[in-house]
Amino acid sequence: MTPDELVEALRRVDSATLANAVEQLELRDATKGYADLRLRCLIPQPVPMVGFAVTVVIDSTTPGRQGDTRLYPDLIAAVERSPKPCVVVCQESGPDPARGCHIGDVVGSRLARHEAVGVVSGSGIRDLAGLRPLGMWAFALGTVVAHGTWTITAVDIEVEVAGLRVRPGDLLHGNEDGLLRVPQERPGELLRLVGAVREREARSRLAGTAAYDVQH
């Protein structure tokens, strides 16, 4: 199975069903591999977000610092060379992530032109009205009105967002329920497990059983 075929198949799966299937691969602990409840879906789209991670570290909250965009071309270059579709994942390195702002409609428009299907911030974003028409998913801890001391400090390194470690090239899947890192080792088996999860849950709903299903 090619990466493109896997991406297309995963666009037809909701994130909770996929998470149940991933657990059954037993490639990681069941408490790992997904973002925690701090991460909010601020801009949903009709089809689940599926894309390969491009990572960036931004300092937007160090007092007295001057914003510095010298590494912005490095981010765009990383997006350009990434497998497509891609998702840009931003970690705040400044001292106050609750005040950080990583993406607005200007940067978002540039990313969308390079086939980014989503942005994920471990801090804040802004310009939701301008981001919505771009057709990208947007995940963040919330919104922040100012961009602070926006400075890219690193591109294409491992980052952490809402408890989820993300490396460049990781395959991510998200919808209104949250964000999941998808193992790429056994794609055929993963899709078979997705089908099995769907069948089992459909039978449980039809049976109307009162028993608690651990795959809820």
Side-chain angles (χ1 to χ4, degrees), residues 33-40 141 160-164 177-179:
Y34 57 92
D36 63 39
L37 55 76
R38 290 174 294 171
L39 192 69
R40 299 166 52 203
L141 305 191
E160 183 171 341
V161 172
L164 176 64
D177 286 331
L179 183 70

Side-chain angles (χ1 to χ4, degrees), residues 1-20:
M1 176 177 293
T2 68
D4 286 346
E5 290 171 336
L6 177 60
V7 166
E8 186 57 34
L10 292 179
R11 286 191 177 119
R12 299 189 291 271
V13 183
D14 68 90
S15 295
T17 295
L18 182 59
N20 286 347

Side-chain angles (χ1 to χ4, degrees), residues 39-44 123-126 128 132 136-144 176:
L39 192 69
R40 299 166 52 203
C41 176
L42 299 181
I43 302 179
S123 192
I125 63 175
R126 68 176 188 170
L128 294 189
R132 286 192 186 96
M136 293 195 303
W137 285 82
F139 295 83
L141 305 191
T143 57
V144 155
E176 292 91 335

